[in-house]
Amino acid sequence: MNLYTFGKALVKTVLTPMYRFEVIGAENFPKDGGILLCSNHIHALDPPVVGMTAPRTVHFMAKEELFKAPILGPILPKVNAFPVKRGMSDREALRTALKLLKSGNVVGLFPEGTRSTDGVLKKGLSGAGFFALRGNADVMPCAIIGPYKAFRKVKVVYGEPIRMEPFRERKASADEVTEAIMGNIQKILDEYQENK
């Protein structure tokens, strides 16, 4: 058992008694090929929760500050995370993400770039659209619906994959693709958020 598999099992064991997770749409997840997994970001637990619920191994792009943390830092590379500087303008991170996508892997990122303090979906960074267009990958939109409160339900909803070929054919811009990704995430939020 590798550390990723062990970590996934550990996260599930630790978090499941605390939160009532409901995973919706996991069957929509493509079984193979490069996939850019894009989710909203509402809590520090989002990366392990997405990693725990995704049907495939996810390589997460994480802010480089986390790799300097005393305990967490050395573990992150072993669970398939790789560092990125704020703003997604880090060339090494760009190369790593594109290589992973072109090799048929799943790369996970949070296009907002930081957590939303009020739960409202923010504007996405153009880096998400860049990866989707250049990585020969389709996009899996995901929405995490909290709040993360003890013994309350947390929904993780996977939407329908967004096919990138039509965007590539008409030479869409990275901003346009990012807007489409965020629109899909918002659509999931609108459909599955309660008390609306």
Side-chain angles (χ1 to χ4, degrees):
M1 181 185 289
N2 62 27
L3 192 57
Y4 183 93
T5 307
F6 173 76
K8 188 170 180 174
L10 181 64
V11 166
K12 196 169 188 176
T13 302
V14 171
L15 295 184
T16 299
M18 182 66 69
Y19 306 106
R20 292 169 46 225
F21 291 107
E22 181 182 3
V23 183
I24 301 168
E27 69 279 2
N28 295 331
F29 216 105
K31 292 180 171 55
D32 50 37
I35 291 294
L36 184 67
L37 172 55
C38 294
S39 175
N40 64 323
H41 197 8
I42 60 171
H43 197 278
L45 288 174
D46 292 342
V49 166
V50 171
M52 174 186 85
T53 59
R56 290 171 60 186
T57 297
V58 182
H59 299 258
F60 274 107
M61 186 179 288
K63 61 183 180 181
E64 66 173 351
E65 294 88 345
L66 295 176
F67 290 80
K68 297 170 185 172
I71 297 171
L72 188 60
I75 294 173
L76 286 174
K78 295 175 183 174
V79 292
N80 300 335
F82 60 97
V84 62
K85 291 173 184 169
R86 289 280 186 179
M88 296 189 189
S89 58
D90 180 349
R91 287 187 178 182
E92 184 59 35
L94 294 177
R95 282 194 291 269
T96 300
L98 290 175
K99 184 178 177 183
L100 285 165
L101 290 169
K102 289 177 180 179
S103 300
N105 293 289
V106 179
V107 171
L109 59 83
F110 300 93
E112 293 163 283
T114 188
R115 290 197 299 272
S116 170
T117 54
D118 58 7
V120 175
L121 189 68
K122 308 298 185 203
K123 182 178 171 62
L125 298 172
S126 61
F130 172 84
F131 290 130
L133 288 168
R134 295 285 298 277
N136 295 337
D138 289 327
V139 175
M140 171 55 67
C142 173
I144 303 165
I145 302 168
Y148 282 88
K149 289 187 178 175
F151 313 114
R152 294 276 297 276
K153 184 183 288 185
V154 176
K155 292 179 185 174
V156 184
V157 187
Y158 294 98
E160 294 285 343
I162 308 169
R163 304 296 176 193
M164 283 294 111
E165 199 53 43
F167 289 95
R168 293 188 192 104
E169 284 176 356
R170 58 184 174 84
K171 296 181 169 41
S173 68
D175 284 332
E176 187 181 345
V177 173
T178 297
E179 196 173 315
I181 293 169
M182 302 312 286
N184 272 262
I185 295 172
Q186 186 62 59
K187 184 179 174 184
I188 299 169
L189 289 169
D190 290 342
E191 183 175 352
Y192 287 94
Q193 275 178 327
E194 295 171 358
N195 305 318
K196 282 234 165 198

